[in-house]
Amino acid sequence: MPETTTIPARLRRWVRESLGVLRRWSHRHPHLRRSVLPLLRPLLRPLLRELADRFASRYRDWVRIEETLAPQDLAAIAAHIATLGAKPLISVVMPVYNTPEPFLRAAIASVEAQLWPHWQLCIADDASPAPHVARVLAEAAARDARIRVERRAVNGHICAASNTALALATGEWVALMDHDDLLPPSALYEIAAEVAAHPDAAVIYSDEDHADNHGNRSRPYFKPDFDPDLLLAQNLVSHLGAYRRDLMTEIGGFRDGFEGSQDHDLALRATRHCGAARVRHIPAVLYHWRQQSGVASFSESEMERCVAASSRAVADHLAASGVVGARIERAPLAPIFNRVVFAFPTKPPLVSVIIPTRDRAKLLRTCVEGVVSRTDYPALEIIIADNGSVERATLALFENLRKAHGVRVLPLPGPFNFSRLNNQALREARGEVIVFLNNDIDVIGPGWLREMVTHALRPGIGAVGARLLFADGRLQHCGDVLGVGFPGGVAGHYGGLAAPDDPGPFATYVVTRSVSAVTAACLAVRRAILDEVGGFDEANLAVAFNDVDLCLRIREAGYRNLYAPAAELYHLESATRGDDLRPEHRERFMAEVRVMRDRWGAALDQDPYWNPNLSLSVLDGQLAFPTRRVKPWRDFIKEAPCAPPDARSAA
């Protein structure tokens, strides 16, 4: 899985802003540009390298603290293995072609070093011309009967070779491994432990990172739990991916013609066949991609073939799932990933856009004009929930909007209660789809509402949120992460203040994906779902967290909430609402925090779409120290006995 970023978002943001300052300064002072910038360039390059190295060092520190197995860990793992009733044989499938000898030996050795003893390594040599390959494989097979090798007579490329290796497998589970990569010693044990904890599992995947020629690890991908929409965008399963062998047999193994994205095609077909409920994610780095220094990366043409194969696999998957009329595009800012454009209904449903407001005529005019004049949607009504506006400009605007656009204005005076305003407007709404919209939203492009409605109408989808930007183009919202924020740890926006051209870690700012919650500053949802869950909680959550609560109730009812980045709008955050922590608001805010904690405490602490190895303090991919992950051998750890005090300390 190619990565779209190698250093933290905050660091990249600082570098980009600093370079922008230098650029503006150089344009104002061309004579200094010619003399000073040539001196600065050689200073900036090593500085950026040092900053990137420091981030890599932080990950190495995290690996040392969180992932290094101490003697008591090894003993606990052995004790856990002994207690497991079922001990599945795991077949590691490895196609090989002309692998450099040191890397091939290291890959095999990493399987031989597994703490889980019930494995077999199934290797298909795809007619490698290099003589060392056959020699190394023969030595390995002679050394351990669990290693099975077959040499193909002719080169068939990756799919054919993978199927040859798969035919050698006799285990209940199959794990996929490339010929020059590495497994940590606990990898297969973790798979077996997950199978023991979830016997119905059919597909299991883990987090992953990269390792260089010297074993230095970098660029971790800490993944969310299974997300069908993210799998359409990229190969979420990837490595370490493990599948029930009978499932692999049923779906026919690897398909010729998908070389370069054969694993993505396999993951799509397997998860469609078994269902999302049988897909499990282990939030641990159980696979190290080998990055060979001095070896050329994919050429542009090879990368293009991989991306094209991925797009075809997704198109096939959607067609087999009964989805008609969808087309596959490249994700904006991350063209190696997919964007699925689902078919817009031939008879678009009526959409009710509900906008709560109190005065602020200039903001409201911009918002409504964007909806009625710059939005490409054929059937909508606008309802303004007026919370006691008194300014003449606002009242005049209401009258103009009624006459010009048929906007309905509902007088709803009284103390500000965002939930009550939306609920009362909802009772007046006629639309099949409801869009809750803040009065400080400004439309950027015409297709935002089509995008949101198209997703909202998909079976199984609940609330749909947009990609919201500040006025200067920086990112304000691309989904909420649970468990974030002070005080209370309820929820916070992901990706805040990222630059407009920043795709985010592994393109998470720019690909469609599942989230636990989205902001009601721009939220689309079917009216039937709102009726099912009861709308906003106006009794307990008048101002804060009402959207998070609504999304969690929608999720509890069995729907998936979605972030749709192709729906992009400007949002002037909190332009019409004060700071929740100001003295006059603090008591109300803390009461709402307590409501959320009492109602959703367990859910807030375990966001399935935010990996427990990632920090809840800074939502830009920083690491969690310590990790929130519960390791499967934890209950078997025996603490070392305390050493007796020496004579001096006793004295």
Side-chain angles (χ1 to χ4, degrees), residues 63 93 146 159-160 164 234 315 327 392 394 414 550 608:
V63 168
V93 168
R146 294 174 294 181
C159 293
T164 298
Q234 58 181 234
R327 69 178 190 272
R392 292 175 61 184
T394 306
L550 175 66

Side-chain angles (χ1 to χ4, degrees), residues 8 54 61 75 81 209 279 324 370 381 420 509 560 605 617:
R54 287 187 180 182
D61 288 341
I81 291 173
D209 66 8
V279 182
V324 178
E381 65 170 1
R420 179 179 66 87
Y509 300 166
R560 267 192 307 118
D605 294 333
S617 300

Side-chain angles (χ1 to χ4, degrees), residues 139-206:
E139 291 173 2
R143 185 169 61 244
D144 195 319
R146 294 174 294 181
I147 299 177
R148 312 182 72 185
V149 177
E150 180 173 329
R151 178 178 171 84
R152 292 174 52 83
V154 295
N155 181 264
H157 301 296
I158 186 70
C159 293
S162 297
N163 282 332
T164 298
L166 180 60
L168 298 173
T170 60
E172 299 164 57
W173 281 81
V174 170
L176 308 184
M177 183 177 180
D178 288 346
H179 58 165
D180 55 354
D181 293 339
L182 302 169
L183 299 183
S186 60
L188 300 185
Y189 154 72
E190 292 254 23
I191 296 291
E194 190 70 16
V195 172
H198 302 277
D200 193 45
V203 178
I204 298 173
Y205 68 99
S206 75

Side-chain angles (χ1 to χ4, degrees), residues 517-549:
V518 294
T519 176
C522 183
L523 185 157
V525 62
R526 276 175 279 155
R527 172 64 179 265
I529 295 177
L530 289 171
D531 291 342
E532 181 180 348
V533 302
F536 291 97
D537 181 357
E538 58 187 83
N540 300 294
L541 298 169
V543 179
F545 307 125
N546 36 55
D547 46 9
V548 177
D549 174 71

Side-chain angles (χ1 to χ4, degrees), residues 16-90:
R16 190 175 291 110
E17 290 171 357
S18 300
L19 291 176
V21 171
L22 281 174
R23 193 177 300 112
R24 291 191 293 273
W25 171 82
S26 68
H27 284 305
R28 294 193 192 100
H29 307 283
H31 61 289
L32 293 176
R33 179 175 71 228
R34 289 190 293 270
S35 58
V36 176
L37 284 184
L39 299 175
L40 288 177
R41 286 193 188 101
L43 297 175
L44 286 173
R45 288 193 187 102
L47 173 62
L48 293 176
R49 282 197 297 269
E50 181 181 350
L51 290 171
D53 288 344
R54 287 187 180 182
F55 179 62
S57 298
R58 182 174 174 81
Y59 180 55
R60 287 194 290 270
D61 288 341
W62 185 90
V63 168
R64 175 177 53 81
I65 294 169
E66 298 291 348
E67 286 207 337
T68 302
L69 296 175
Q72 59 263 38
D73 293 309
L74 297 173
I77 290 172
H80 187 199
I81 291 173
T83 65
L84 294 178
K87 293 182 170 58
L89 177 64
I90 302 175

Side-chain angles (χ1 to χ4, degrees), residues 480-486 488-493 597 603-607 609-628:
D480 285 342
V481 175
L482 303 180
V484 179
F486 176 83
V490 176
H493 298 331
R597 271 280 145 198
L604 297 180
D605 294 333
Q606 297 177 5
D607 189 333
Y609 303 113
W610 189 250
N611 192 292
N613 296 304
L614 295 175
S615 172
L616 288 173
S617 300
V618 183
L619 300 183
D620 63 357
Q622 295 291 315
L623 303 170
F625 284 96
T627 177
R628 298 181 302 283

